[in-house]
Amino acid sequence: MIMVFVNEKPTKVVENTTLFQLRDNIKPDADIVILNGHIMNKDVTLNNNDNVVLIKRGEIPSFDELEALMIARHTPGIHKKLKKGRVAIAGLGGLGSNIATSLARMGVGFLRLIDFDVVEPSNLNRQYYFIDQIGRKKTDALLETLKRINPYITYDPVDCFVNENNIKELFHDVDVIIEAFDKAETKALLIKNCLQLFPDKLIIGASGVAGIYDTSLLKVEKLGKNVYIVGDFVNEAKPGEGLMATRVTVAANMQANIAVRYLVNDKNVF
């Protein structure tokens, strides 16, 4: 006998059992068969500790089963590590709202969402909000959206303006601090204070994501022990140089990916 995991549940099967035999025994109407994160169109022999997910298109799974199906395309072992992660995102604009969305889809277990502003029409060209959310607090609007994406995460929305007096309280209990502000002075304030208060925490910021320049210009630079900055470090927002979805969301997901790599790889980003 060998042990495989079917929709995250440990299942003993006879050695040399094939993937499609397992499907036919457990869920013969499944038309999506995923093995170790990859959709399979041909039969193979199963190995010990393989991860198998069986899905029928159009079928609404139970709440208890849904989480396992949502992570079916993850690389095996990733979800369990991310589920333990704690991340704070400071600023829920073009960077922060998209970072939060990606981390929710990845299944990071705890997300603190920090902003003081409301959704307004000019946000919608790049931020993860919707027309019917205009006028609502960003913390409330994003929380509503994230719960629709992944209800298995602990969300902690904090409606406040970040300053020197509340940084310790806001970030003391997380593994990763993500700076996603618009203004250079606010970025500097957060990173400087977090370096002083939390020298061992990972800090991820951004600088230079405006315009529609080649996204290959965006890069990651390490500053000191544990600060990573994403951007081209040149093209800041200014008159004639707007912030737009294509480039902002690329940078946001680069920030999110650094956080994921850190949480998964035993706190070792690179």
Side-chain angles (χ1 to χ4, degrees):
M1 303 290 285
I2 63 171
M3 180 71 74
V4 299
F5 295 86
V6 181
N7 294 7
E8 291 290 295
K9 295 179 180 178
T11 305
K12 289 184 178 180
V13 299
V14 176
E15 199 167 348
N16 294 320
T17 296
T18 70
L19 179 63
F20 290 174
Q21 285 174 342
L22 180 70
R23 174 201 60 193
D24 294 343
N25 289 333
I26 294 178
K27 193 176 179 65
D29 59 350
D31 50 6
I32 300 174
V33 181
I34 300 172
L35 176 64
N36 297 330
H38 183 67
I39 291 179
M40 299 294 291
N41 296 312
K42 64 178 182 179
D43 205 4
V44 295
T45 301
L46 292 168
N47 295 308
N48 198 46
N49 291 321
D50 274 346
N51 284 269
V52 178
V53 177
L54 304 172
I55 299 173
K56 180 182 178 182
R57 284 185 174 87
E59 182 178 80
I60 306 299
S62 68
F63 187 81
D64 291 338
E65 188 181 28
L66 176 60
E67 185 175 20
L69 305 188
M70 287 171 58
I71 62 165
R73 298 302 302 273
H74 272 25
T75 302
I78 293 292
H79 183 249
K80 288 182 180 179
K81 293 181 179 180
L82 292 181
K83 191 82 171 173
K84 300 174 184 177
R86 299 175 63 87
V87 177
I89 304 167
L92 303 178
L95 292 170
S97 63
N98 284 290
I99 291 166
T101 302
S102 288
L103 294 182
R105 293 192 188 281
M106 290 294 291
V108 173
F110 177 93
L111 294 178
R112 178 164 293 140
L113 312 167
I114 306 167
D115 204 298
F116 68 94
D117 211 349
V118 299
V119 180
E120 46 89 358
S122 74
N123 298 152
L124 300 180
N125 79 326
R126 68 199 183 281
Q127 300 184 20
Y128 211 101
Y129 300 104
F130 301 91
I131 291 171
D132 61 0
Q133 294 177 325
I134 290 172
R136 295 184 60 186
K137 281 286 188 178
K138 287 186 176 179
T139 45
D140 294 338
L142 190 58
L143 176 64
E144 175 186 76
T145 300
L146 295 179
K147 283 183 174 180
R148 293 183 66 193
I149 291 171
N150 191 338
Y152 302 95
I153 289 173
T154 299
Y155 299 104
D156 181 26
V158 182
D159 177 20
C160 77
F161 185 86
V162 176
N163 58 51
E164 291 181 349
N165 297 321
N166 58 18
I167 286 176
K168 185 174 182 179
E169 179 183 355
L170 288 171
F171 303 104
H172 75 281
D173 59 347
V174 298
D175 305 308
V176 179
I177 300 166
I178 301 183
E179 175 277 306
F181 293 132
D182 288 334
K183 295 182 179 179
E185 57 268 28
T186 316
K187 292 173 179 287
L189 172 75
L190 177 63
I191 292 174
K192 177 183 176 182
N193 280 273
C194 284
L195 276 172
Q196 293 174 348
L197 292 167
F198 315 114
D200 296 321
K201 291 186 187 293
L202 183 70
I203 303 167
I204 308 168
S207 177
V209 300
I212 54 170
Y213 301 100
D214 187 350
T215 55
S216 68
L217 297 174
L218 299 172
K219 57 187 177 181
V220 180
E221 287 199 1
K222 184 177 181 181
L223 305 179
K225 176 185 175 183
N226 61 342
V227 178
Y228 291 84
I229 307 295
V230 171
D232 66 16
F233 307 94
V234 175
N235 294 295
E236 300 285 358
K238 58 187 178 183
E241 194 87 313
L243 292 167
M244 290 163 281
T246 49
R247 211 157 183 265
V248 169
T249 53
V250 170
N253 281 289
M254 290 174 69
Q255 288 182 277
N257 198 52
I258 295 170
V260 166
R261 292 178 62 192
Y262 179 81
L263 295 171
V264 167
N265 293 322
D266 299 324
K267 308 292 190 290
N268 183 20
V269 179
F270 300 115

